[in-house]
mmCIF file of all heavy atoms in Angstrom:
data_model
loop_
_atom_site.group_PDB
_atom_site.id
_atom_site.type_symbol
_atom_site.label_atom_id
_atom_site.label_comp_id
_atom_site.label_asym_id
_atom_site.label_seq_id
_atom_site.Cartn_x
_atom_site.Cartn_y
_atom_site.Cartn_z
ATOM 1 N N HIS V 13 -0.083 10.338 21.946
ATOM 2 C CA HIS V 13 0.297 10.639 20.565
ATOM 3 C C HIS V 13 0.548 9.381 19.750
ATOM 4 O O HIS V 13 0.932 9.464 18.582
ATOM 5 C CB HIS V 13 1.559 11.500 20.517
ATOM 6 C CG HIS V 13 1.435 12.798 21.233
ATOM 7 N ND1 HIS V 13 2.522 13.430 21.767
ATOM 8 C CD2 HIS V 13 0.373 13.584 21.518
ATOM 9 C CE1 HIS V 13 2.137 14.549 22.352
ATOM 10 N NE2 HIS V 13 0.831 14.662 22.210
ATOM 11 N N VAL V 14 0.360 8.206 20.339
ATOM 12 C CA VAL V 14 0.662 6.939 19.682
ATOM 13 C C VAL V 14 -0.644 6.233 19.306
ATOM 14 O O VAL V 14 -1.532 6.069 20.141
ATOM 15 C CB VAL V 14 1.516 6.029 20.588
ATOM 16 C CG1 VAL V 14 1.798 4.692 19.910
ATOM 17 C CG2 VAL V 14 2.824 6.728 20.964
ATOM 18 N N THR V 15 -0.743 5.849 18.031
ATOM 19 C CA THR V 15 -1.901 5.102 17.531
ATOM 20 C C THR V 15 -1.394 3.785 16.968
ATOM 21 O O THR V 15 -0.523 3.774 16.097
ATOM 22 C CB THR V 15 -2.617 5.883 16.410
ATOM 23 O OG1 THR V 15 -3.022 7.161 16.920
ATOM 24 C CG2 THR V 15 -3.832 5.124 15.900
ATOM 25 N N THR V 16 -1.960 2.686 17.474
ATOM 26 C CA THR V 16 -1.579 1.371 16.980
ATOM 27 C C THR V 16 -2.755 0.761 16.244
ATOM 28 O O THR V 16 -3.879 0.756 16.754
ATOM 29 C CB THR V 16 -1.145 0.454 18.141
ATOM 30 O OG1 THR V 16 -0.026 1.066 18.799
ATOM 31 C CG2 THR V 16 -0.728 -0.919 17.647
ATOM 32 N N THR V 17 -2.504 0.300 15.024
ATOM 33 C CA THR V 17 -3.512 -0.383 14.221
ATOM 34 C C THR V 17 -3.045 -1.829 14.039
ATOM 35 O O THR V 17 -1.928 -2.165 14.445
ATOM 36 C CB THR V 17 -3.662 0.290 12.836
ATOM 37 O OG1 THR V 17 -2.481 0.035 12.068
ATOM 38 C CG2 THR V 17 -3.904 1.800 12.961
ATOM 39 N N PRO V 18 -3.851 -2.681 13.413
ATOM 40 C CA PRO V 18 -3.380 -4.049 13.177
ATOM 41 C C PRO V 18 -2.136 -4.120 12.289
ATOM 42 O O PRO V 18 -1.427 -5.122 12.303
ATOM 43 C CB PRO V 18 -4.571 -4.714 12.481
ATOM 44 C CG PRO V 18 -5.758 -3.938 12.943
ATOM 45 C CD PRO V 18 -5.262 -2.522 13.066
ATOM 46 N N ASN V 19 -1.841 -3.053 11.534
ATOM 47 C CA ASN V 19 -0.733 -3.089 10.579
ATOM 48 C C ASN V 19 0.495 -2.289 10.977
ATOM 49 O O ASN V 19 1.587 -2.578 10.494
ATOM 50 C CB ASN V 19 -1.212 -2.585 9.215
ATOM 51 C CG ASN V 19 -2.382 -3.388 8.717
ATOM 52 O OD1 ASN V 19 -2.307 -4.602 8.627
ATOM 53 N ND2 ASN V 19 -3.477 -2.719 8.419
ATOM 54 N N ALA V 20 0.337 -1.266 11.805
ATOM 55 C CA ALA V 20 1.475 -0.385 12.103
ATOM 56 C C ALA V 20 1.204 0.426 13.363
ATOM 57 O O ALA V 20 0.076 0.475 13.864
ATOM 58 C CB ALA V 20 1.717 0.559 10.932
ATOM 59 N N THR V 21 2.259 1.084 13.829
ATOM 60 C CA THR V 21 2.156 2.033 14.931
ATOM 61 C C THR V 21 2.604 3.387 14.415
ATOM 62 O O THR V 21 3.681 3.506 13.817
ATOM 63 C CB THR V 21 3.029 1.602 16.124
ATOM 64 O OG1 THR V 21 2.559 0.343 16.598
ATOM 65 C CG2 THR V 21 2.969 2.618 17.249
ATOM 66 N N MET V 22 1.774 4.397 14.629
ATOM 67 C CA MET V 22 2.078 5.757 14.227
ATOM 68 C C MET V 22 2.274 6.594 15.489
ATOM 69 O O MET V 22 1.403 6.609 16.361
ATOM 70 C CB MET V 22 0.947 6.359 13.383
ATOM 71 C CG MET V 22 0.944 5.928 11.938
ATOM 72 S SD MET V 22 0.678 4.168 11.612
ATOM 73 C CE MET V 22 -0.936 3.867 12.264
ATOM 74 N N THR V 23 3.399 7.282 15.552
ATOM 75 C CA THR V 23 3.700 8.161 16.681
ATOM 76 C C THR V 23 3.672 9.589 16.176
ATOM 77 O O THR V 23 4.522 9.989 15.365
ATOM 78 C CB THR V 23 5.082 7.830 17.278
ATOM 79 O OG1 THR V 23 5.084 6.454 17.684
ATOM 80 C CG2 THR V 23 5.378 8.712 18.472
ATOM 81 N N GLY V 24 2.670 10.345 16.613
ATOM 82 C CA GLY V 24 2.520 11.724 16.177
ATOM 83 C C GLY V 24 3.623 12.611 16.710
ATOM 84 O O GLY V 24 3.968 12.540 17.886
ATOM 85 N N LEU V 25 4.168 13.429 15.850
ATOM 86 C CA LEU V 25 5.201 14.385 16.234
ATOM 87 C C LEU V 25 4.597 15.784 16.115
ATOM 88 O O LEU V 25 3.826 16.185 16.958
ATOM 89 C CB LEU V 25 6.453 14.179 15.373
ATOM 90 C CG LEU V 25 7.044 12.753 15.453
ATOM 91 C CD1 LEU V 25 8.109 12.537 14.396
ATOM 92 C CD2 LEU V 25 7.560 12.460 16.839
ATOM 93 N N ALA V 26 4.874 16.513 15.058
ATOM 94 C CA ALA V 26 4.267 17.835 14.876
ATOM 95 C C ALA V 26 2.855 17.672 14.322
ATOM 96 O O ALA V 26 2.597 16.810 13.494
ATOM 97 C CB ALA V 26 5.099 18.673 13.919
ATOM 98 N N ALA V 27 1.934 18.507 14.802
ATOM 99 C CA ALA V 27 0.541 18.527 14.334
ATOM 100 C C ALA V 27 -0.123 19.770 14.910
ATOM 101 O O ALA V 27 0.370 20.338 15.885
ATOM 102 C CB ALA V 27 -0.194 17.271 14.792
ATOM 103 N N PRO V 28 -1.243 20.191 14.343
ATOM 104 C CA PRO V 28 -1.932 21.362 14.888
ATOM 105 C C PRO V 28 -2.268 21.229 16.376
ATOM 106 O O PRO V 28 -2.185 22.204 17.116
ATOM 107 C CB PRO V 28 -3.192 21.463 14.027
ATOM 108 C CG PRO V 28 -2.749 20.912 12.712
ATOM 109 C CD PRO V 28 -1.846 19.756 13.081
ATOM 110 N N SER V 29 -2.616 20.039 16.812
ATOM 111 C CA SER V 29 -2.939 19.850 18.235
ATOM 112 C C SER V 29 -1.699 19.950 19.123
ATOM 113 O O SER V 29 -1.820 20.032 20.344
ATOM 114 C CB SER V 29 -3.607 18.491 18.449
ATOM 115 O OG SER V 29 -2.709 17.440 18.103
ATOM 116 N N ARG V 30 -0.505 19.972 18.496
ATOM 117 C CA ARG V 30 0.743 20.048 19.262
ATOM 118 C C ARG V 30 1.589 21.254 18.840
ATOM 119 O O ARG V 30 2.794 21.269 19.049
ATOM 120 C CB ARG V 30 1.520 18.742 19.086
ATOM 121 C CG ARG V 30 0.793 17.563 19.723
ATOM 122 C CD ARG V 30 1.548 16.256 19.598
ATOM 123 N NE ARG V 30 1.609 15.700 18.256
ATOM 124 C CZ ARG V 30 0.636 14.977 17.676
ATOM 125 N NH1 ARG V 30 -0.484 14.736 18.323
ATOM 126 N NH2 ARG V 30 0.778 14.498 16.470
ATOM 127 N N GLY V 31 0.957 22.261 18.211
ATOM 128 C CA GLY V 31 1.647 23.519 17.963
ATOM 129 C C GLY V 31 1.991 23.857 16.527
ATOM 130 O O GLY V 31 2.362 24.987 16.248
ATOM 131 N N SER V 32 1.884 22.923 15.595
ATOM 132 C CA SER V 32 2.166 23.218 14.194
ATOM 133 C C SER V 32 0.904 23.782 13.548
ATOM 134 O O SER V 32 -0.190 23.274 13.782
ATOM 135 C CB SER V 32 2.589 21.940 13.462
ATOM 136 O OG SER V 32 2.728 22.177 12.087
ATOM 137 N N SER V 33 1.052 24.795 12.718
ATOM 138 C CA SER V 33 -0.143 25.370 12.100
ATOM 139 C C SER V 33 -0.449 24.776 10.723
ATOM 140 O O SER V 33 -1.591 24.844 10.273
ATOM 141 C CB SER V 33 -0.014 26.885 11.987
ATOM 142 O OG SER V 33 1.087 27.221 11.178
ATOM 143 N N GLU V 34 0.531 24.214 10.019
ATOM 144 C CA GLU V 34 0.313 23.752 8.657
ATOM 145 C C GLU V 34 0.705 22.309 8.382
ATOM 146 O O GLU V 34 0.133 21.670 7.507
ATOM 147 C CB GLU V 34 1.090 24.638 7.683
ATOM 148 C CG GLU V 34 0.618 26.073 7.675
ATOM 149 C CD GLU V 34 1.391 26.909 6.676
ATOM 150 O OE1 GLU V 34 2.101 26.350 5.825
ATOM 151 O OE2 GLU V 34 1.285 28.138 6.758
ATOM 152 N N LEU V 35 1.697 21.808 9.086
ATOM 153 C CA LEU V 35 2.237 20.489 8.771
ATOM 154 C C LEU V 35 2.027 19.492 9.896
ATOM 155 O O LEU V 35 1.916 19.874 11.059
ATOM 156 C CB LEU V 35 3.740 20.588 8.496
ATOM 157 C CG LEU V 35 4.146 21.434 7.307
ATOM 158 C CD1 LEU V 35 5.670 21.529 7.241
ATOM 159 C CD2 LEU V 35 3.585 20.866 6.019
ATOM 160 N N SER V 36 2.008 18.232 9.495
ATOM 161 C CA SER V 36 2.020 17.129 10.448
ATOM 162 C C SER V 36 3.195 16.233 10.104
ATOM 163 O O SER V 36 3.491 16.003 8.930
ATOM 164 C CB SER V 36 0.734 16.306 10.356
ATOM 165 O OG SER V 36 -0.365 17.048 10.799
ATOM 166 N N THR V 37 3.847 15.745 11.133
ATOM 167 C CA THR V 37 4.893 14.749 10.950
ATOM 168 C C THR V 37 4.654 13.639 11.953
ATOM 169 O O THR V 37 4.116 13.869 13.036
ATOM 170 C CB THR V 37 6.312 15.330 11.137
ATOM 171 O OG1 THR V 37 6.463 15.797 12.470
ATOM 172 C CG2 THR V 37 6.598 16.444 10.144
ATOM 173 N N TRP V 38 5.019 12.430 11.552
ATOM 174 C CA TRP V 38 4.876 11.296 12.454
ATOM 175 C C TRP V 38 5.859 10.212 12.074
ATOM 176 O O TRP V 38 6.439 10.231 10.992
ATOM 177 C CB TRP V 38 3.445 10.764 12.471
ATOM 178 C CG TRP V 38 2.910 10.246 11.176
ATOM 179 C CD1 TRP V 38 2.965 8.958 10.720
ATOM 180 C CD2 TRP V 38 2.230 10.982 10.165
ATOM 181 N NE1 TRP V 38 2.354 8.860 9.489
ATOM 182 C CE2 TRP V 38 1.899 10.090 9.121
ATOM 183 C CE3 TRP V 38 1.867 12.323 10.014
ATOM 184 C CZ2 TRP V 38 1.231 10.482 7.977
ATOM 185 C CZ3 TRP V 38 1.206 12.715 8.867
ATOM 186 C CH2 TRP V 38 0.884 11.800 7.863
ATOM 187 N N GLN V 39 6.033 9.277 12.994
ATOM 188 C CA GLN V 39 6.868 8.118 12.726
ATOM 189 C C GLN V 39 5.957 6.920 12.534
ATOM 190 O O GLN V 39 5.004 6.725 13.290
ATOM 191 C CB GLN V 39 7.820 7.850 13.894
ATOM 192 C CG GLN V 39 8.695 6.630 13.660
ATOM 193 C CD GLN V 39 9.733 6.454 14.727
ATOM 194 O OE1 GLN V 39 10.400 7.420 15.091
ATOM 195 N NE2 GLN V 39 9.887 5.243 15.215
ATOM 196 N N VAL V 40 6.246 6.129 11.511
ATOM 197 C CA VAL V 40 5.537 4.873 11.261
ATOM 198 C C VAL V 40 6.505 3.733 11.558
ATOM 199 O O VAL V 40 7.640 3.751 11.078
ATOM 200 C CB VAL V 40 5.077 4.763 9.787
ATOM 201 C CG1 VAL V 40 4.444 3.402 9.527
ATOM 202 C CG2 VAL V 40 4.122 5.878 9.427
ATOM 203 N N ASP V 41 6.041 2.773 12.342
ATOM 204 C CA ASP V 41 6.795 1.546 12.587
ATOM 205 C C ASP V 41 5.912 0.389 12.145
ATOM 206 O O ASP V 41 4.757 0.280 12.582
ATOM 207 C CB ASP V 41 7.133 1.399 14.075
ATOM 208 C CG ASP V 41 8.089 2.481 14.539
ATOM 209 O OD1 ASP V 41 9.239 2.489 14.063
ATOM 210 O OD2 ASP V 41 7.689 3.325 15.366
ATOM 211 N N MET V 42 6.444 -0.454 11.260
ATOM 212 C CA MET V 42 5.672 -1.568 10.722
ATOM 213 C C MET V 42 6.517 -2.837 10.814
ATOM 214 O O MET V 42 7.688 -2.825 10.432
ATOM 215 C CB MET V 42 5.272 -1.273 9.275
ATOM 216 C CG MET V 42 4.279 -2.209 8.667
ATOM 217 S SD MET V 42 3.810 -1.656 6.984
ATOM 218 C CE MET V 42 2.084 -1.338 7.232
ATOM 219 N N ALA V 43 5.925 -3.902 11.329
ATOM 220 C CA ALA V 43 6.631 -5.168 11.502
ATOM 221 C C ALA V 43 6.750 -5.914 10.182
ATOM 222 O O ALA V 43 5.908 -5.786 9.290
ATOM 223 C CB ALA V 43 5.904 -6.033 12.527
ATOM 224 N N ALA V 44 7.775 -6.730 10.071
ATOM 225 C CA ALA V 44 7.999 -7.547 8.885
ATOM 226 C C ALA V 44 6.758 -8.376 8.570
ATOM 227 O O ALA V 44 6.150 -8.967 9.463
ATOM 228 C CB ALA V 44 9.201 -8.466 9.095
ATOM 229 N N GLY V 45 6.369 -8.363 7.314
ATOM 230 C CA GLY V 45 5.223 -9.129 6.849
ATOM 231 C C GLY V 45 3.898 -8.389 6.877
ATOM 232 O O GLY V 45 2.923 -8.831 6.285
ATOM 233 N N ALA V 46 3.858 -7.242 7.540
ATOM 234 C CA ALA V 46 2.605 -6.474 7.625
ATOM 235 C C ALA V 46 2.334 -5.756 6.304
ATOM 236 O O ALA V 46 3.251 -5.342 5.597
ATOM 237 C CB ALA V 46 2.677 -5.453 8.754
ATOM 238 N N THR V 47 1.046 -5.607 5.996
ATOM 239 C CA THR V 47 0.615 -4.883 4.805
ATOM 240 C C THR V 47 -0.571 -4.006 5.186
ATOM 241 O O THR V 47 -1.535 -4.487 5.771
ATOM 242 C CB THR V 47 0.188 -5.852 3.680
ATOM 243 O OG1 THR V 47 1.294 -6.693 3.362
ATOM 244 C CG2 THR V 47 -0.243 -5.096 2.437
ATOM 245 N N GLY V 48 -0.492 -2.742 4.857
ATOM 246 C CA GLY V 48 -1.596 -1.833 5.121
ATOM 247 C C GLY V 48 -2.674 -1.969 4.069
ATOM 248 O O GLY V 48 -2.471 -2.593 3.020
ATOM 249 N N PRO V 49 -3.832 -1.366 4.316
ATOM 250 C CA PRO V 49 -4.921 -1.431 3.339
ATOM 251 C C PRO V 49 -4.631 -0.556 2.119
ATOM 252 O O PRO V 49 -3.884 0.416 2.202
ATOM 253 C CB PRO V 49 -6.110 -0.886 4.122
ATOM 254 C CG PRO V 49 -5.500 0.048 5.120
ATOM 255 C CD PRO V 49 -4.183 -0.581 5.496
ATOM 256 N N GLU V 50 -5.233 -0.912 1.001
ATOM 257 C CA GLU V 50 -5.161 -0.047 -0.168
ATOM 258 C C GLU V 50 -5.925 1.226 0.168
ATOM 259 O O GLU V 50 -7.039 1.165 0.691
ATOM 260 C CB GLU V 50 -5.776 -0.758 -1.371
ATOM 261 C CG GLU V 50 -5.607 0.009 -2.650
ATOM 262 C CD GLU V 50 -6.114 -0.763 -3.850
ATOM 263 O OE1 GLU V 50 -7.270 -1.240 -3.800
ATOM 264 O OE2 GLU V 50 -5.368 -0.879 -4.823
ATOM 265 N N HIS V 51 -5.328 2.377 -0.118
ATOM 266 C CA HIS V 51 -5.951 3.649 0.233
ATOM 267 C C HIS V 51 -5.307 4.781 -0.557
ATOM 268 O O HIS V 51 -4.274 4.593 -1.193
ATOM 269 C CB HIS V 51 -5.819 3.914 1.740
ATOM 270 C CG HIS V 51 -4.399 4.137 2.188
ATOM 271 N ND1 HIS V 51 -3.469 3.109 2.294
ATOM 272 C CD2 HIS V 51 -3.740 5.269 2.533
ATOM 273 C CE1 HIS V 51 -2.321 3.599 2.699
ATOM 274 N NE2 HIS V 51 -2.442 4.907 2.841
ATOM 275 N N SER V 52 -5.928 5.943 -0.485
ATOM 276 C CA SER V 52 -5.325 7.163 -1.027
ATOM 277 C C SER V 52 -5.390 8.225 0.052
ATOM 278 O O SER V 52 -6.195 8.147 0.976
ATOM 279 C CB SER V 52 -6.041 7.623 -2.299
ATOM 280 O OG SER V 52 -7.381 7.944 -2.012
ATOM 281 N N VAL V 53 -4.524 9.222 -0.067
ATOM 282 C CA VAL V 53 -4.469 10.327 0.882
ATOM 283 C C VAL V 53 -4.665 11.609 0.095
ATOM 284 O O VAL V 53 -4.097 11.766 -0.993
ATOM 285 C CB VAL V 53 -3.128 10.339 1.651
ATOM 286 C CG1 VAL V 53 -3.083 11.489 2.645
ATOM 287 C CG2 VAL V 53 -2.910 9.016 2.376
ATOM 288 N N SER V 54 -5.441 12.517 0.624
ATOM 289 C CA SER V 54 -5.791 13.737 -0.107
ATOM 290 C C SER V 54 -4.645 14.738 -0.233
ATOM 291 O O SER V 54 -4.776 15.726 -0.957
ATOM 292 C CB SER V 54 -6.987 14.414 0.553
ATOM 293 O OG SER V 54 -6.653 14.825 1.874
ATOM 294 N N ARG V 55 -3.535 14.500 0.446
ATOM 295 C CA ARG V 55 -2.382 15.402 0.388
ATOM 296 C C ARG V 55 -1.118 14.612 0.059
ATOM 297 O O ARG V 55 -1.007 13.426 0.367
ATOM 298 C CB ARG V 55 -2.179 16.118 1.732
ATOM 299 C CG ARG V 55 -3.317 17.009 2.130
ATOM 300 C CD ARG V 55 -3.409 18.168 1.188
ATOM 301 N NE ARG V 55 -4.505 19.058 1.571
ATOM 302 C CZ ARG V 55 -4.997 19.959 0.754
ATOM 303 N NH1 ARG V 55 -4.543 20.075 -0.471
ATOM 304 N NH2 ARG V 55 -5.973 20.734 1.145
ATOM 305 N N GLU V 56 -0.163 15.288 -0.556
ATOM 306 C CA GLU V 56 1.133 14.679 -0.798
ATOM 307 C C GLU V 56 1.754 14.259 0.531
ATOM 308 O O GLU V 56 1.618 14.963 1.542
ATOM 309 C CB GLU V 56 2.040 15.710 -1.479
ATOM 310 C CG GLU V 56 3.455 15.223 -1.720
ATOM 311 C CD GLU V 56 4.296 16.312 -2.348
ATOM 312 O OE1 GLU V 56 4.770 17.199 -1.600
ATOM 313 O OE2 GLU V 56 4.455 16.290 -3.578
ATOM 314 N N GLN V 57 2.430 13.115 0.526
ATOM 315 C CA GLN V 57 3.172 12.653 1.699
ATOM 316 C C GLN V 57 4.623 12.424 1.306
ATOM 317 O O GLN V 57 4.914 11.952 0.204
ATOM 318 C CB GLN V 57 2.609 11.345 2.252
ATOM 319 C CG GLN V 57 1.259 11.486 2.903
ATOM 320 C CD GLN V 57 0.804 10.180 3.528
ATOM 321 O OE1 GLN V 57 1.112 9.100 3.052
ATOM 322 N NE2 GLN V 57 0.057 10.296 4.602
ATOM 323 N N VAL V 58 5.524 12.712 2.242
ATOM 324 C CA VAL V 58 6.946 12.469 2.061
ATOM 325 C C VAL V 58 7.378 11.501 3.161
ATOM 326 O O VAL V 58 7.241 11.800 4.344
ATOM 327 C CB VAL V 58 7.756 13.779 2.144
ATOM 328 C CG1 VAL V 58 9.246 13.503 2.011
ATOM 329 C CG2 VAL V 58 7.284 14.760 1.072
ATOM 330 N N TRP V 59 7.848 10.327 2.750
ATOM 331 C CA TRP V 59 8.282 9.270 3.666
ATOM 332 C C TRP V 59 9.800 9.146 3.582
ATOM 333 O O TRP V 59 10.337 8.897 2.496
ATOM 334 C CB TRP V 59 7.693 7.924 3.263
ATOM 335 C CG TRP V 59 6.220 7.763 3.444
ATOM 336 C CD1 TRP V 59 5.233 8.537 2.919
ATOM 337 C CD2 TRP V 59 5.582 6.725 4.176
ATOM 338 N NE1 TRP V 59 4.008 8.034 3.288
ATOM 339 C CE2 TRP V 59 4.197 6.923 4.055
ATOM 340 C CE3 TRP V 59 6.047 5.632 4.918
ATOM 341 C CZ2 TRP V 59 3.272 6.079 4.660
ATOM 342 C CZ3 TRP V 59 5.131 4.797 5.512
ATOM 343 C CH2 TRP V 59 3.754 5.027 5.387
ATOM 344 N N THR V 60 10.501 9.255 4.703
ATOM 345 C CA THR V 60 11.937 9.023 4.766
ATOM 346 C C THR V 60 12.179 7.810 5.645
ATOM 347 O O THR V 60 11.805 7.805 6.821
ATOM 348 C CB THR V 60 12.679 10.253 5.318
ATOM 349 O OG1 THR V 60 12.418 11.367 4.447
ATOM 350 C CG2 THR V 60 14.181 10.008 5.386
#
């Protein structure tokens, strides 16, 4: 459930492949100084 990219690590929590029918949740961990690529996402995201 863990995906590591050059910029961050995403740990999948709820998702359709793990029992959720509509929502996905995950944890993002990003090291100091890292910057992700410019991008857009087709759905609203809520980051806490």
Side-chain angles (χ1 to χ4, degrees):
H13 301 153
V14 179
T15 302
T16 300
T17 70
N19 303 305
T21 298
M22 281 64 62
T23 302
L25 302 169
S29 63
R30 293 181 290 278
S32 174
S33 61
E34 296 181 13
L35 297 175
S36 292
T37 63
W38 61 91
Q39 179 173 314
V40 175
D41 294 295
M42 190 176 243
T47 301
E50 186 175 51
H51 67 286
S52 62
V53 180
S54 63
R55 297 293 181 196
E56 177 182 80
Q57 290 185 328
V58 178
W59 291 57
T60 300

